[in-house]
Amino acid sequence: MMERWHHSNISACNRTSTRLLAVSRFLADTAISSGYPANKLEVHYQGIDTDYFVPLEDERQPDQLPTVLFVGSLAERKGVLDLALASKELLKTVPHRLVFIGDGPLRGDLEKIIVDHADAEIVGAAGRSAVRARMQAASVVVVPSKEHKGWREAAGLVSLEAQACGTPVVATDSGGIGEMLRNGETGLLVSEGNIGQLSSAIGQILTMSGEEYRKCRARARDFVVTSRSLAVSCDELESHYIDLAGS
């Protein structure tokens, strides 16, 4: 019943709209392949509040154990088990903490994988300010989402929030996630479901020199402020309204 309701809304939107905004190129291409007219579609990236998600002034200290952070649902489509396995592989060469913020159906499976990971914890659900504090303190935020029953991440705002905090991101090149960072500059992209690549990419971030890491942090922050901020998104949305009103 819910599926029929969604299809009804989609059909009405297609029939009556002058312009359709997609939150990623991936989503726009998916819509076009499903029959939406390409001349109606525009990519309009969602923005995040870069006045709220800001870096800490204190930089990562070399004597602190680096922290790998995940924020989201503990579900198959979010790739949490892949991250846990990648972290255990990386522990052989790079000591680190692994923190999961969120809850979901795979919590029990996740607990079994990390039971012998001395520096891993599942925090559970957390509020916005607590998430921000964890992102600011993390060495890297990982977004390991993958295809599940036809679903893929349309965009992935968690990666933008992390980069706005000056924290590099390792993410899978799945759905629209790859559009939310600059691969090799503000973070690293890996193939979805590839645990070896995921482990290696996280290790690359954690073993950067202090100078390399500072530059990566600065690039991450600059990317979001100039390209994916709420202010930029609102300005672009206003342009769409003015353009349509004028036509």
Side-chain angles (χ1 to χ4, degrees):
M1 185 173 181
M2 183 63 73
E3 187 175 352
R4 288 200 302 272
W5 181 76
H6 280 307
H7 279 299
S8 176
N9 283 340
I10 291 170
S11 296
C13 182
N14 187 15
R15 187 174 60 253
T16 62
S17 297
T18 303
R19 182 172 300 176
L20 299 165
L21 302 182
V23 297
S24 63
R25 183 70 258 167
F26 160 75
L27 194 59
D29 289 343
T30 300
I32 292 168
S33 66
S34 299
Y36 271 69
N39 63 340
K40 277 189 178 184
L41 274 160
E42 296 275 355
V43 175
H44 174 74
Y45 293 112
Q46 295 170 282
I48 61 108
D49 188 348
T50 53
D51 290 329
Y52 183 80
F53 290 97
V54 295
L56 288 178
E57 291 186 9
D58 295 334
E59 304 235 354
R60 181 180 63 173
Q61 299 301 314
D63 58 342
Q64 291 178 341
L65 197 63
T67 297
V68 177
L69 177 66
F70 169 88
V71 180
S73 173
L74 306 184
E76 182 70 26
R77 67 185 187 277
K78 293 294 187 176
V80 290
L81 302 186
D82 292 345
L83 173 55
L85 292 171
S87 173
K88 289 186 72 172
E89 179 65 25
L90 184 61
L91 273 178
K92 298 173 185 177
T93 54
V94 183
H96 62 275
R97 295 181 67 229
L98 176 62
V99 178
F100 292 89
I101 295 180
D103 214 334
L106 291 187
R107 180 163 186 154
D109 296 306
L110 188 57
E111 288 171 342
K112 291 175 184 176
I113 293 176
I114 66 173
V115 66
D116 57 349
H117 190 321
D119 292 301
E121 70 171 315
I122 301 173
V123 175
R128 189 170 183 242
S129 61
V131 169
R132 179 183 63 173
R134 291 276 188 171
M135 284 182 169
Q136 290 170 327
S139 305
V140 60
V141 169
V142 182
V143 185
S145 299
K146 59 184 181 180
E147 187 276 334
H148 181 62
K149 296 182 179 179
W151 176 95
R152 277 194 171 93
E153 201 88 58
L157 296 184
V158 165
S159 63
L160 295 181
E161 292 168 350
Q163 291 171 92
C165 291
T167 303
V169 170
V170 169
T172 51
D173 193 6
S174 178
I177 296 174
E179 299 172 56
M180 302 303 140
L181 69 152
R182 287 180 177 154
N183 188 29
E185 297 182 22
T186 70
L188 296 170
L189 287 174
V190 301
S191 301
E192 60 178 74
N194 192 315
I195 294 168
Q197 283 187 14
L198 188 60
S199 178
S200 177
I202 296 169
Q204 285 183 56
I205 299 294
L206 297 187
T207 57
M208 280 181 173
S209 69
E211 182 63 21
E212 285 180 305
Y213 188 72
R214 281 190 290 274
K215 289 179 179 178
C216 188
R217 278 171 50 88
R219 289 194 298 264
R221 170 70 181 174
D222 182 67
F223 164 64
V224 181
V225 169
T226 59
S227 303
R228 298 289 189 274
S229 70
L230 191 60
V232 169
S233 182
C234 287
D235 285 345
E236 291 177 351
L237 186 60
E238 182 181 34
S239 295
H240 283 295
Y241 282 122
I242 292 173
D243 184 39
L244 291 171
S247 63

